[in-house]
Amino acid sequence: MCGIFAYKGKRENASEIVIEGLKHLEYRGYDSWGIAYKSKAGIVVEKRVGKIGELDLNTIQLPTSNTAMGHSRWATHGTVTEENAHPHFNEDQSIVVVHNGIVENFQELKNKLIKNGHTFKSETDTEVIAHLIEDYMEVGFENAFKQALKELKGRFAILAMHRDEDKLMAARRGSPLIVGKGKSEYFIASDIPAFLEYSREVMYIDDNQMVVLNDTPKFYNIETGEKITKRIVEIGWNAEMAEKGEHPHFMIKEIKEQKDTIARAINQNEKDIMKVANEINNAFGTYLIGCGTAGKVCLAASYAFSEIAKKHVNPVVGSEFPSYKHFIKKGSLVIAVSQSGETADTLEAIEVAKQKGAKVISIVNVEGSTMDRESDFSINIKAGPEKAVASTKATTAQLAILTLLAYACVDRLKEGRKLLIETASKINDMLNPRYEQHIEKLAEKLRGHESMYVIGRAMNYAMALESAIKLQEVSYIHAEGFAGGELKHGPIALISKGTPCIALVANDETKQDILSNAIEIKSRGGYIIGVSPENHEIFDYWLRVPDAGNASPIVNIIPVQILAYKLAVMKQNNPDMPRNLAKSVTVK
Ligand code: M6R
């Protein structure tokens, strides 16, 4: 869950390019950072604890260099200190590495290296890699790098440089790594936004592959040593899409982008949608898998398939899916839903599904991501770069695609498209400054509370769970979502005078029941915030949403996203980088 980035080319401000690029990857990890660059004196390393986004370039000396690499860390092994921040050197500081992932057998390797006389400066698993390369140096840097990789267990993305070699080495197994091609210059990064300013031409490094970057990159299979030819792919994102622009945070920028992203998401090739719909119709069983917010989207979609397509699909949390492997067989269909396409738990689920002979389709935002490439077929949700840790525009784009698929399963694609286009236009009307102010007033009332609850039914039960995630991750207020009907089975004991409770009320067959549940809460003293197309007497505060029929989860989650954002800002939390969380969870 770290960001790594390197530059090699003709420009002389390599370290500055790397620092600026790392700022775009900060969402992947932000407890400390570091860079290494080549200078006449050897390799120079600069490390700091804290966010790289807060670095003022005037406070750091960066001599000219045309090769540099860097890392934005999210601690796994070793506490947050400068010593543990990457890059890490070997003994004589001739080799330096940065690493994303976990070296599962690091203790075993470390013990062996200590016996060989190596001494370590950090508590990290990464430092082992630099020492291991050093141990093989008699076969030359490139071969030593290859040898070291063979000994590492676990998922990784690694970059390495040697003081006396004009080469950058990179390798991947399970953690993303992409090469960007500029004019006589190359970039290697965990994610595309790091180099979007310079290049939109990319080469994807696949699992068990390494790159030797000299003047041009040479790709090899780590296991066999076989040379690999890579295709250059032009990507559809541009630098502006990955910038905050006039907005104070990415989260609010991305919430507002939902004016456009829903329409963009459903603007898919009809043949692709029908292909997936046919797969669902013909599958022995369909599983929708995702983690966190994507998992809640899968749950919402299972209700949509029931309601619209009269079809049973099984929503399963990514990390739990391997326990269902006993049911999976040839003919089963797994649809993986993910913004990043790199979530380790979902990737593992895909691996299990494939081993059992199931077909895998992914619904992802990041083109060329591991999930995209590991699947038999994939649909891109076209939300553009989502950089705030809290997922917003990707969530509603995923909901839109899955709703469309439910309609497509019963030959009602046109009707589904019409519904979603109308919903997109209603969202456009809803997202205005007055609406935001109205939610801000509510945030003022709620900011001092320690707990709040969200209830919903059917598709909006899933959105109640998603609402809780949004509120938890950025406002740090304890929030829980419940199925309205479950209250009386326990949770209602939590309600006392003034306890805020958000009721997601859709204009469908669940309306009367969820209103009754809200009444039960109110009669115990709860403060009811109604998210609904109509105002009801029971509401203490009304957040109006358009009536969107089967697309109600899409419109209902948006005011909660704004509320979570406003609470975060009021509480002086950074909504883009909430504590203890990273955007891509690439570890199990
Ligand atoms: O990239 P993914 O969609 O696979 O990520 C899955 C979850 O980690 C993600 O949705 C997470 O729950 C978000 N921070 C929620 O806002």
Side-chain angles (χ1 to χ4, degrees), residues 495-529:
I495 308 297
S496 58
K497 193 165 184 308
T499 307
C501 182
I502 303 174
L504 304 179
V505 184
N507 200 7
D508 60 16
E509 63 189 19
T510 66
K511 181 164 114 184
Q512 283 318 321
D513 285 338
I514 196 74
L515 286 172
S516 304
N517 298 139
I519 291 169
E520 287 160 24
I521 296 173
K522 184 135 179 172
S523 59
R524 269 92 188 162
Y527 179 81
I528 307 295
I529 300 137

CSV table of all heavy atoms in Angstrom, one decimal, residues 495-529:
chain,number,residue,atom,x,y,z
A,495,ILE,N,-30.3,3.6,20.8
A,495,ILE,CA,-30.9,5.0,20.6
A,495,ILE,C,-31.2,5.6,21.9
A,495,ILE,O,-31.9,5.0,22.8
A,495,ILE,CB,-32.1,4.8,19.7
A,495,ILE,CG1,-31.9,4.0,18.4
A,495,ILE,CG2,-32.8,6.2,19.4
A,495,ILE,CD1,-30.9,4.6,17.4
A,496,SER,N,-30.8,6.9,22.1
A,496,SER,CA,-31.2,7.6,23.2
A,496,SER,C,-31.5,9.0,22.7
A,496,SER,O,-31.5,9.3,21.5
A,496,SER,CB,-30.1,7.6,24.3
A,496,SER,OG,-29.0,8.2,23.8
A,497,LYS,N,-31.8,9.9,23.7
A,497,LYS,CA,-32.3,11.3,23.2
A,497,LYS,C,-31.2,12.0,22.3
A,497,LYS,O,-30.1,12.1,22.7
A,497,LYS,CB,-32.5,12.1,24.5
A,497,LYS,CG,-33.3,13.4,24.2
A,497,LYS,CD,-33.9,14.0,25.5
A,497,LYS,CE,-34.7,15.2,25.2
A,497,LYS,NZ,-34.1,16.2,24.4
A,498,GLY,N,-31.7,12.3,21.2
A,498,GLY,CA,-30.8,13.1,20.3
A,498,GLY,C,-29.9,12.3,19.4
A,498,GLY,O,-29.1,12.8,18.6
A,499,THR,N,-29.9,10.9,19.5
A,499,THR,CA,-29.0,10.1,18.7
A,499,THR,C,-29.3,10.3,17.2
A,499,THR,O,-30.5,10.1,16.8
A,499,THR,CB,-29.2,8.6,19.0
A,499,THR,OG1,-29.0,8.4,20.4
A,499,THR,CG2,-28.2,7.8,18.2
A,500,PRO,N,-28.4,10.8,16.4
A,500,PRO,CA,-28.7,11.0,15.0
A,500,PRO,C,-28.9,9.7,14.2
A,500,PRO,O,-28.1,8.8,14.4
A,500,PRO,CB,-27.4,11.8,14.4
A,500,PRO,CG,-26.6,12.1,15.6
A,500,PRO,CD,-27.0,11.2,16.7
A,501,CYS,N,-29.9,9.7,13.4
A,501,CYS,CA,-30.1,8.5,12.6
A,501,CYS,C,-30.6,8.9,11.2
A,501,CYS,O,-31.6,9.6,11.1
A,501,CYS,CB,-31.2,7.6,13.3
A,501,CYS,SG,-31.4,6.1,12.3
A,502,ILE,N,-29.8,8.5,10.2
A,502,ILE,CA,-30.2,8.8,8.8
A,502,ILE,C,-31.0,7.7,8.3
A,502,ILE,O,-30.7,6.5,8.4
A,502,ILE,CB,-28.9,8.9,8.0
A,502,ILE,CG1,-28.0,10.0,8.6
A,502,ILE,CG2,-29.2,9.2,6.5
A,502,ILE,CD1,-26.6,10.1,7.9
A,503,ALA,N,-32.2,8.1,7.7
A,503,ALA,CA,-33.1,7.0,7.1
A,503,ALA,C,-33.0,7.2,5.6
A,503,ALA,O,-33.4,8.3,5.1
A,503,ALA,CB,-34.5,7.2,7.7
A,504,LEU,N,-32.6,6.2,4.9
A,504,LEU,CA,-32.6,6.3,3.4
A,504,LEU,C,-33.9,5.8,3.0
A,504,LEU,O,-34.2,4.6,3.0
A,504,LEU,CB,-31.4,5.5,2.9
A,504,LEU,CG,-30.0,5.8,3.4
A,504,LEU,CD1,-29.0,4.9,2.7
A,504,LEU,CD2,-29.7,7.2,3.1
A,505,VAL,N,-34.8,6.7,2.5
A,505,VAL,CA,-36.1,6.3,2.1
A,505,VAL,C,-36.3,6.4,0.6
A,505,VAL,O,-36.2,7.4,0.0
A,505,VAL,CB,-37.1,7.3,2.8
A,505,VAL,CG1,-38.6,6.8,2.5
A,505,VAL,CG2,-36.9,7.3,4.3
A,506,ALA,N,-36.5,5.2,0.0
A,506,ALA,CA,-36.7,5.2,-1.5
A,506,ALA,C,-38.2,5.2,-1.7
A,506,ALA,O,-39.0,4.7,-0.9
A,506,ALA,CB,-36.1,4.0,-2.1
A,507,ASN,N,-38.6,5.7,-2.9
A,507,ASN,CA,-40.0,5.7,-3.2
A,507,ASN,C,-40.4,4.4,-3.9
A,507,ASN,O,-40.7,4.3,-5.0
A,507,ASN,CB,-40.3,6.9,-4.2
A,507,ASN,CG,-41.7,7.3,-4.2
A,507,ASN,OD1,-42.5,6.8,-3.4
A,507,ASN,ND2,-42.1,8.1,-5.1
A,508,ASP,N,-40.3,3.3,-3.1
A,508,ASP,CA,-40.6,2.0,-3.6
A,508,ASP,C,-41.4,1.2,-2.6
A,508,ASP,O,-41.9,1.8,-1.6
A,508,ASP,CB,-39.3,1.3,-4.0
A,508,ASP,CG,-38.3,1.1,-2.9
A,508,ASP,OD1,-38.7,1.2,-1.7
A,508,ASP,OD2,-37.1,0.8,-3.1
A,509,GLU,N,-41.4,-0.1,-2.8
A,509,GLU,CA,-42.3,-0.9,-1.9
A,509,GLU,C,-41.8,-1.0,-0.5
A,509,GLU,O,-42.5,-1.4,0.4
A,509,GLU,CB,-42.4,-2.3,-2.5
A,509,GLU,CG,-41.1,-3.1,-2.6
A,509,GLU,CD,-41.2,-4.4,-3.3
A,509,GLU,OE1,-42.1,-4.6,-4.1
A,509,GLU,OE2,-40.2,-5.2,-3.1
A,510,THR,N,-40.5,-0.5,-0.2
A,510,THR,CA,-40.0,-0.5,1.1
A,510,THR,C,-40.3,0.8,1.9
A,510,THR,O,-40.0,0.8,3.1
A,510,THR,CB,-38.5,-0.7,1.1
A,510,THR,OG1,-37.9,0.5,0.5
A,510,THR,CG2,-38.0,-1.9,0.3
A,511,LYS,N,-40.9,1.7,1.2
A,511,LYS,CA,-41.1,3.1,1.8
A,511,LYS,C,-41.8,3.1,3.2
A,511,LYS,O,-41.3,3.6,4.2
A,511,LYS,CB,-41.8,4.0,0.8
A,511,LYS,CG,-42.0,5.4,1.3
A,511,LYS,CD,-42.4,6.3,0.2
A,511,LYS,CE,-43.8,6.8,0.4
A,511,LYS,NZ,-44.2,7.6,-0.8
A,512,GLN,N,-43.0,2.4,3.2
A,512,GLN,CA,-43.8,2.5,4.5
A,512,GLN,C,-43.0,1.8,5.6
A,512,GLN,O,-43.0,2.3,6.7
A,512,GLN,CB,-45.1,1.8,4.3
A,512,GLN,CG,-46.1,2.7,3.5
A,512,GLN,CD,-46.1,4.2,3.9
A,512,GLN,OE1,-46.0,4.5,5.1
A,512,GLN,NE2,-46.2,5.1,3.0
A,513,ASP,N,-42.4,0.7,5.3
A,513,ASP,CA,-41.6,0.0,6.3
A,513,ASP,C,-40.5,0.8,6.9
A,513,ASP,O,-40.3,0.8,8.1
A,513,ASP,CB,-41.1,-1.4,5.8
A,513,ASP,CG,-42.3,-2.4,5.6
A,513,ASP,OD1,-43.3,-2.2,6.3
A,513,ASP,OD2,-42.1,-3.3,4.8
A,514,ILE,N,-39.7,1.4,6.0
A,514,ILE,CA,-38.6,2.1,6.5
A,514,ILE,C,-39.0,3.4,7.3
A,514,ILE,O,-38.4,3.7,8.3
A,514,ILE,CB,-37.5,2.5,5.4
A,514,ILE,CG1,-36.2,2.9,6.0
A,514,ILE,CG2,-38.0,3.6,4.5
A,514,ILE,CD1,-35.4,1.8,6.5
A,515,LEU,N,-40.1,4.0,6.9
A,515,LEU,CA,-40.7,5.1,7.6
A,515,LEU,C,-41.1,4.6,9.0
A,515,LEU,O,-40.9,5.3,10.0
A,515,LEU,CB,-41.8,5.8,6.9
A,515,LEU,CG,-41.4,6.6,5.7
A,515,LEU,CD1,-42.6,7.1,4.9
A,515,LEU,CD2,-40.6,7.8,6.1
A,516,SER,N,-41.7,3.4,9.1
A,516,SER,CA,-42.1,2.9,10.4
A,516,SER,C,-40.9,2.7,11.3
A,516,SER,O,-40.9,3.0,12.5
A,516,SER,CB,-42.8,1.5,10.3
A,516,SER,OG,-43.9,1.7,9.4
A,517,ASN,N,-39.8,2.2,10.7
A,517,ASN,CA,-38.6,2.0,11.4
A,517,ASN,C,-38.1,3.4,12.0
A,517,ASN,O,-37.6,3.5,13.1
A,517,ASN,CB,-37.5,1.4,10.6
A,517,ASN,CG,-37.9,0.0,10.1
A,517,ASN,OD1,-37.7,-0.4,8.9
A,517,ASN,ND2,-38.6,-0.8,10.9
A,518,ALA,N,-38.2,4.4,11.1
A,518,ALA,CA,-37.7,5.7,11.6
A,518,ALA,C,-38.6,6.2,12.7
A,518,ALA,O,-38.1,6.8,13.7
A,518,ALA,CB,-37.8,6.7,10.4
A,519,ILE,N,-39.9,5.9,12.7
A,519,ILE,CA,-40.8,6.3,13.8
A,519,ILE,C,-40.4,5.6,15.1
A,519,ILE,O,-40.4,6.2,16.1
A,519,ILE,CB,-42.3,6.0,13.4
A,519,ILE,CG1,-42.7,6.9,12.3
A,519,ILE,CG2,-43.2,6.1,14.6
A,519,ILE,CD1,-44.0,6.5,11.6
A,520,GLU,N,-40.0,4.3,14.9
A,520,GLU,CA,-39.6,3.5,16.1
A,520,GLU,C,-38.4,4.3,16.8
A,520,GLU,O,-38.3,4.4,18.0
A,520,GLU,CB,-39.1,2.1,15.7
A,520,GLU,CG,-40.3,1.2,15.4
A,520,GLU,CD,-39.8,0.0,14.5
A,520,GLU,OE1,-38.6,-0.4,14.6
A,520,GLU,OE2,-40.6,-0.6,13.8
A,521,ILE,N,-37.5,4.7,15.9
A,521,ILE,CA,-36.3,5.4,16.4
A,521,ILE,C,-36.7,6.7,17.1
A,521,ILE,O,-36.2,7.1,18.2
A,521,ILE,CB,-35.2,5.6,15.3
A,521,ILE,CG1,-34.8,4.3,14.8
A,521,ILE,CG2,-34.1,6.5,15.8
A,521,ILE,CD1,-33.9,4.3,13.6
A,522,LYS,N,-37.5,7.5,16.4
A,522,LYS,CA,-37.9,8.8,16.9
A,522,LYS,C,-38.6,8.6,18.3
A,522,LYS,O,-38.4,9.4,19.2
A,522,LYS,CB,-38.9,9.4,15.9
A,522,LYS,CG,-39.2,10.8,16.3
A,522,LYS,CD,-39.1,11.8,15.2
A,522,LYS,CE,-39.6,13.2,15.6
A,522,LYS,NZ,-39.3,14.2,14.7
A,523,SER,N,-39.4,7.6,18.4
A,523,SER,CA,-40.1,7.5,19.7
A,523,SER,C,-39.2,7.1,20.8
A,523,SER,O,-39.6,7.2,22.0
A,523,SER,CB,-41.3,6.5,19.5
A,523,SER,OG,-40.8,5.2,19.1
A,524,ARG,N,-38.0,6.7,20.5
A,524,ARG,CA,-37.0,6.5,21.5
A,524,ARG,C,-36.0,7.7,21.7
A,524,ARG,O,-35.0,7.6,22.3
A,524,ARG,CB,-36.1,5.3,21.2
A,524,ARG,CG,-36.6,4.0,21.8
A,524,ARG,CD,-37.5,3.3,20.9
A,524,ARG,NE,-38.2,2.2,21.4
A,524,ARG,CZ,-39.3,1.6,20.8
A,524,ARG,NH1,-39.8,2.2,19.8
A,524,ARG,NH2,-39.9,0.6,21.4
A,525,GLY,N,-36.4,8.8,21.0
A,525,GLY,CA,-35.7,10.1,21.2
A,525,GLY,C,-34.7,10.4,20.1
A,525,GLY,O,-34.0,11.4,20.1
A,526,GLY,N,-34.6,9.5,19.1
A,526,GLY,CA,-33.6,9.7,18.0
A,526,GLY,C,-33.9,10.9,17.1
A,526,GLY,O,-35.1,11.4,17.1
A,527,TYR,N,-32.9,11.5,16.5
A,527,TYR,CA,-33.0,12.6,15.7
A,527,TYR,C,-33.0,12.1,14.2
A,527,TYR,O,-31.9,11.6,13.8
A,527,TYR,CB,-31.8,13.6,16.0
A,527,TYR,CG,-31.8,14.8,15.1
A,527,TYR,CD1,-32.6,15.9,15.4
A,527,TYR,CD2,-31.0,14.9,14.0
A,527,TYR,CE1,-32.6,17.1,14.7
A,527,TYR,CE2,-30.9,16.1,13.2
A,527,TYR,CZ,-31.7,17.2,13.6
A,527,TYR,OH,-31.7,18.3,12.8
A,528,ILE,N,-34.1,12.3,13.5
A,528,ILE,CA,-34.2,11.6,12.2
A,528,ILE,C,-33.8,12.6,11.0
A,528,ILE,O,-34.4,13.6,10.9
A,528,ILE,CB,-35.6,11.1,12.0
A,528,ILE,CG1,-36.1,10.2,13.1
A,528,ILE,CG2,-35.7,10.3,10.6
A,528,ILE,CD1,-35.3,8.9,13.3
A,529,ILE,N,-32.8,12.1,10.3
A,529,ILE,CA,-32.4,12.8,9.1
A,529,ILE,C,-32.9,12.0,7.9
A,529,ILE,O,-32.5,10.8,7.7
A,529,ILE,CB,-30.9,12.9,9.0
A,529,ILE,CG1,-30.3,13.7,10.2
A,529,ILE,CG2,-30.4,13.6,7.7
A,529,ILE,CD1,-29.1,13.1,10.8
